[in-house]
Amino acid sequence: RKEVEQDPGPFNVPEGATVAFNCTYSNSASQSFFWYRQDCRKEPKLLMSVYSSGNEDGRFTAQLNRASQYISLLIRDSKLSDSATYLCVVNVGTGGFKTIFGAGTRLFVKA
Amino acid sequence: GAVVSQHPSWVICKSGTSVKIECRSLDFQATTMFWYRQFPKQSLMLMATSNEGSKATYEQGVEKDKFLINHASLTLSTLTVTSAHPEDSSFYICSAREYQQVFEQYFGPGTRLTVT
């Protein structure tokens, strides 16, 4: 079983749609959680951190359920520019932690 | 702030040669740098973690004699792919973590290596 699992997609949605990505992690010692965005042939860029209380940044909402070891990202009112691969990222351990990347979910937003 | 650069951005080399990739933190001191590799349509895979002034810690399955990592200063780490083979062709990305920043890491733009 992979340490961080994501639905690979691709998700094809029209502009304005709401889309949700799911992610599960296997290591209960995971300490911190993030969603990154990666455009084709580019480096990953931090989209947002994920907190147990849930957090929102504009059209993006992230949720964490530690009991279920589950992370989600919701994108509302999708834009063409949201087309990218979304990576679920988990840090395991403290101090010298290890970062585990999910394989990513590909999103295509079409006009 | 928190900019990481990589050089070169892309390189083509012949099989059997060695290639050096540089990773620099431009506006902060990076006590820890990470090297990742990403094959097409796959996720980033951590290759090694390097702390300034000490030997790198390699992930299982990564040959330390083939992928030489040097982190001689707080702003520079290098990855040398020795005796490159076509299967080493990949996207290599470094990231850097600032002293006392526990979780956040900043990524370089990546280096695309093609071995012919």
Side-chain angles (χ1 to χ4, degrees):
Chain A
R1 183 186 172 189
K2 292 181 182 178
E3 291 188 81
V4 177
E5 294 209 57
Q6 293 183 248
D7 182 339
F11 283 42
N12 293 286
V13 302
E15 268 188 297
T18 296
V19 60
F21 302 135
N22 302 318
C23 171
T24 57
Y25 60 95
S26 61
N27 194 325
S28 58
S30 299
Q31 293 291 325
S32 55
F33 311 88
F34 308 88
W35 284 101
Y36 277 74
R37 169 195 170 127
Q38 186 175 24
D39 293 289
C40 189
R41 293 176 174 261
K42 300 282 188 181
E43 76 278 21
K45 292 189 183 294
L46 179 64
L47 181 64
M48 58 198 306
S49 303
V50 189
Y51 305 113
S52 296
S53 55
N55 48 304
E56 187 174 309
D57 182 3
R59 298 181 293 109
F60 300 85
T61 301
Q63 294 276 356
L64 165 65
N65 184 321
R66 284 188 181 269
S68 303
Q69 296 184 187
Y70 169 88
I71 305 160
S72 66
L73 175 68
L74 185 75
I75 305 176
R76 291 180 299 278
D77 189 23
S78 300
K79 310 292 184 190
L80 295 176
S81 57
D82 293 333
S83 298
T85 296
Y86 290 83
L87 305 172
C88 175
V89 180
V90 175
N91 284 335
V92 180
T94 56
F97 65 85
K98 182 176 175 179
T99 300
I100 312 293
F101 283 80
T105 300
R106 192 78 173 89
L107 171 66
F108 293 98
V109 181
K110 302 190 176 182
Chain B
V3 178
V4 176
S5 70
Q6 271 185 252
H7 178 81
S9 55
W10 61 270
V11 57
I12 301 172
C13 70
K14 292 186 177 181
S15 189
T17 61
S18 294
V19 175
K20 180 186 282 189
I21 302 170
E22 293 186 350
C23 177
R24 292 181 185 272
S25 56
L26 299 185
D27 51 2
F28 66 99
Q29 293 187 326
T31 50
T32 304
M33 286 187 169
F34 305 90
W35 286 97
Y36 295 88
R37 180 168 54 181
Q38 186 176 33
F39 293 108
K41 297 188 179 181
Q42 294 187 26
S43 188
L44 278 75
M45 296 298 296
L46 180 65
M47 298 176 67
T49 302
S50 73
N51 292 296
E52 186 266 337
S54 61
K55 289 185 178 180
T57 302
Y58 290 81
E59 294 300 303
Q60 192 174 11
V62 178
E63 299 174 59
K64 61 180 181 181
D65 294 330
K66 180 172 180 62
F67 298 99
L68 302 178
I69 292 172
N70 184 284
H71 191 169
S73 78
L74 286 171
T75 59
L76 173 65
S77 176
T78 60
L79 167 68
T80 302
V81 183
T82 62
S83 187
H85 290 281
E87 57 264 32
D88 297 326
S89 299
S90 187
F91 191 44
Y92 291 86
I93 304 176
C94 73
S95 71
R97 193 173 72 193
E98 192 173 8
Y99 176 64
Q100 291 189 327
Q101 286 290 328
V102 180
F103 297 125
E104 191 158 1
Q105 52 184 299
Y106 306 99
F107 285 87
T111 297
R112 190 159 300 281
L113 170 64
T114 301
V115 184
T116 61

